[in-house]
Amino acid sequence: MTSFETLLRRVCALAAFVGVAAILALMMLTVVTVVFRAIGIAFPGTYSLAELLLIPAVSFSLAYAAMQNEHTRVTLFVDRIKNDRIRRGLDGIMTLLGTLFWVAIGWATIKEAIRRGAQGELSPIINVPVAPFRWAMATAIILLCIVLVFQGIKLLSGREVEEHPHGGDYTQ
């Protein structure tokens, strides 16, 4: 494994940690809200805070799933090809073409972050700035694009994209 790949795997593992932390925070927020409602105390802003926590929960998990080769794939046609080099080449081309979609999403996210950041957008009720969450999403999508380009190039060069190399140990 190259040093770039090791670094990329570590960054993706850190991104996954951020995503899991956001999911845990969302879970705790839900539990606290339900408990408080049961005893008659309203917790305003739960919906707004949950919206903000979903952004890192989803976006940072995408790069990790792609790095682990766990994202959704339709391999009905490609799996029937017996020649490994042709199969990997087609898989690499499809990965790179699919990356174009994420580049468009990333570009739109950056444009929206700039536009809304200039407006000083705040979340309703709790008045939390939304800009850091928008930029976090843009960062996560850029990381996803880097992972997909890396994997596409790897496949086009004839190498297989491993699933869970070293059992998740990124120090090797």
Side-chain angles (χ1 to χ4, degrees):
M1 186 177 337
T2 66
S3 59
F4 176 75
E5 186 173 1
T6 302
L7 174 66
L8 191 57
R9 288 190 180 281
R10 287 181 180 165
V11 170
C12 288
L14 178 63
F17 177 78
V18 171
V20 168
I23 289 170
L24 290 173
L26 186 58
M27 180 189 69
M28 289 188 301
L29 174 68
T30 304
V31 169
V32 167
T33 301
V34 169
V35 169
F36 275 48
R37 282 188 186 164
I39 60 175
I41 300 171
F43 184 63
T46 300
Y47 181 75
S48 296
L49 199 53
E51 280 181 328
L52 294 175
L53 286 171
L54 277 173
I55 294 169
V58 172
S59 60
F60 279 103
S61 302
L62 291 171
Y64 180 78
M67 196 68 196
Q68 296 299 317
N69 207 23
E70 301 249 346
H71 53 283
T72 304
R73 297 192 125 137
V74 179
T75 58
L76 186 64
F77 172 70
V78 177
D79 281 350
R80 295 176 189 259
I81 298 172
K82 302 292 183 212
N83 186 317
D84 283 343
R85 187 154 177 83
I86 293 172
R87 188 176 66 248
R88 284 190 202 118
L90 281 174
D91 200 11
I93 289 168
M94 289 187 301
T95 299
L96 291 175
L97 286 174
T99 304
L100 295 176
F101 169 79
W102 288 107
V103 167
I105 297 295
W107 180 252
T109 302
I110 290 169
K111 283 175 46 178
E112 190 68 10
I114 291 169
R115 187 173 75 81
R116 297 292 186 124
Q119 295 172 348
E121 178 185 25
L122 298 173
S123 66
I125 301 173
I126 57 175
N127 294 327
V128 172
V130 178
F133 292 91
R134 290 191 185 277
W135 284 109
M137 181 176 174
T139 303
I141 291 173
I142 290 168
L143 177 61
L144 172 64
C145 291
I146 292 168
V147 168
L148 292 174
V149 167
F150 173 75
Q151 288 185 335
I153 291 170
K154 196 172 178 181
L155 287 164
L156 286 175
S157 68
R159 294 181 294 155
E160 194 68 50
V161 177
E162 308 94 19
E163 297 180 22
H164 310 292
H166 308 296
D169 180 10
Y170 303 119
T171 59
Q172 299 178 0

